[in-house]
Amino acid sequence: MPPKCIACTFSATKKHNPSDEFTVVYFRPTVDYPDSWTGHPENAEWFCAEHLPLAEALTDLSALEAAKQIRAQLTQDKA
């Protein structure tokens, strides 16, 4: 699955938006995984370059809490 910013839903599959413009951010983990576990951890989310600073400022929160705050901030900025 290609990277997709959870703040704005820009995807690496869109034209002129290559995947190297996305960064995965690790938030506070809320699940303990066994050593044999593989997959995408619940605390890792992709962000486009524009929204990366917002995400990096909230890494002490869970991914769910951070996503709520980022979306609230973006909604407030539009008002």
Side-chain angles (χ1 to χ4, degrees):
M1 181 174 218
K4 183 173 167 181
C5 178
I6 68 163
C8 65
T9 69
F10 278 139
S11 172
T13 60
K14 291 184 178 179
K15 205 172 199 179
H16 306 298
N17 212 3
S19 61
D20 64 348
E21 292 181 17
F22 291 81
T23 303
V24 69
V25 175
Y26 292 90
F27 296 95
R28 179 179 46 81
T30 59
V31 175
D32 287 327
Y33 297 102
D35 291 338
S36 61
W37 184 84
T38 60
H40 187 88
E42 48 73 43
N43 66 319
E45 296 291 351
W46 289 101
F47 288 89
C48 67
E50 180 181 351
H51 296 117
L52 183 60
L54 290 173
E56 290 178 329
L58 300 173
T59 57
D60 58 320
L61 301 176
S62 71
L64 183 59
E65 293 166 330
K68 286 179 184 177
Q69 284 198 22
I70 290 167
R71 289 182 183 127
Q73 177 67 42
L74 293 175
T75 300
Q76 183 179 4
D77 289 349
K78 288 182 182 179

